[in-house]
Amino acid sequence: MACDLSLGRLEPCKDSVGGLKNLYFVNFGDLGAITYDVTNTDVIDAIAGSPDAYKYEIKGASSFTQNIQSSRDTGTTAFEQVVEVTLKKLTVADHKELKLLAYGRPHVIVEDNNGNYFLAGLEHGCDVTGGTIVTGTAMSDLSGYTLTLTGMEKKPANLLGDTPSAVGFTIVSGS
């Protein structure tokens, strides 16, 4: 049967950390042909066409969660991919770009603090499903943006076999 387990899992060392380092947004539909690792189809080795990936450096209160939604009654399983990000400081340029981000449904590459790269919204993209533009109340409060992007896919987010640029993305950094 196709859903039979194929291996066990040992308790790993305590050498990984939480948190995110960078996000990369790719306009929906810009992904070229995808080449998967020959021994592990959960790993993407290459993307054709060198699509632009807009890099957002982040630090602090941001996360990536994949919620498994499985139903015995309907015989279905889907993976909700949720990116929650806090972007510090309000600027005219960011205001414009975040508005476009909310209007679109980008693919999102999530880089965690362990050097893993996940491609969320591979088939259907990710939608901005919530967020805030906030000035804060006290001097030490956030003046910036919070965003929640949500994707719903048939499979968990694929890992990239290398950095986004090595896999084939053209990285566009901010100023």
Side-chain angles (χ1 to χ4, degrees), residues 24-26 49-55 164-173:
Y24 303 80
F25 296 101
V26 180
S50 299
D52 289 339
Y54 298 92
K55 181 179 180 180
S165 59
V167 170
F169 291 96
T170 300
I171 306 305
V172 181
S173 294

Side-chain angles (χ1 to χ4, degrees), residues 18-76:
L20 303 181
K21 185 174 181 179
N22 295 302
L23 295 176
Y24 303 80
F25 296 101
V26 180
N27 288 319
F28 183 77
D30 283 1
L31 296 180
I34 297 172
T35 304
Y36 294 93
D37 182 288
V38 293
T39 60
N40 186 346
T41 58
D42 290 325
V43 177
I44 295 173
D45 277 341
I47 301 283
S50 299
D52 289 339
Y54 298 92
K55 181 179 180 180
Y56 280 57
E57 293 179 349
I58 55 176
K59 187 171 182 154
S62 298
S63 66
F64 177 53
T65 304
Q66 297 189 74
N67 299 307
I68 303 167
Q69 299 184 352
S70 194
S71 170
R72 178 171 293 286
D73 294 338
T74 62
T76 59

Side-chain angles (χ1 to χ4, degrees), residues 68-128:
I68 303 167
Q69 299 184 352
S70 194
S71 170
R72 178 171 293 286
D73 294 338
T74 62
T76 59
T77 299
F79 296 85
E80 179 188 47
Q81 301 164 353
V82 181
V83 178
E84 295 181 309
V85 62
T86 299
L87 302 169
K88 298 174 279 295
K89 196 170 185 177
L90 298 169
T91 70
V92 172
D94 287 341
H95 211 71
K96 178 181 178 183
E97 287 302 308
L98 294 176
K99 179 176 60 176
L100 295 172
L101 187 65
Y103 291 162
R105 57 181 170 129
H107 310 283
V108 182
I109 300 169
V110 178
E111 178 184 358
D112 71 13
N113 283 328
N114 297 301
N116 296 309
Y117 296 89
F118 300 90
L119 180 53
L122 176 64
E123 288 186 38
H124 305 288
C126 293
D127 291 297
V128 173

Side-chain angles (χ1 to χ4, degrees), residues 5 8-9 17 54 59 80 117 128 133-134 140 153 174:
L5 295 174
R9 184 174 192 269
V17 295
Y54 298 92
K59 187 171 182 154
E80 179 188 47
Y117 296 89
V128 173
I133 301 169
V134 61
S140 62
E153 299 287 332

